[in-house]
Amino acid sequence: AAELGRLYMRQGDLPLGIEWLERAADGPAATPDEGFGVVYDLADALERLGEPARALAVFVDLDADAGGYRDVKARIERLARAQAGSRPR
């Protein structure tokens, strides 16, 4: 499921890529790092699709499970700032 999701992403079909990455994230991974990679790719795809709130939620969950993974903390900070800036005052 993960590879199919990534294939759709490479072909530019974000909605189908996300669907398959979500399926992969719900299933067991061969290794923890592989599982973290699927969740990271899912969050990245959600952000690219224009769903920053969902992407932020996935990145926060990933950070809770795998603190210090890739650039997750920086992406959380950026998405959180963007969300705060888009709220009406």
Side-chain angles (χ1 to χ4, degrees), residues 39-40 42-44 46 53-63 72:
V39 174
Y40 182 92
L42 172 60
D44 180 67
L46 288 166
R54 284 182 64 198
L56 178 58
V58 173
F59 277 129
V60 166
D61 287 345
L62 178 58
D63 189 50
V72 169

Side-chain angles (χ1 to χ4, degrees), residues 4 6 9 13 15 22 27-28 30-34 45 49 61 65 73 76 82 84:
L4 190 54
R6 290 176 179 127
M9 298 299 297
D13 192 337
E22 286 174 331
T31 67
D33 195 55
E34 183 179 312
L49 187 62
D61 287 345
D65 293 338
K73 289 192 185 305
I76 288 171

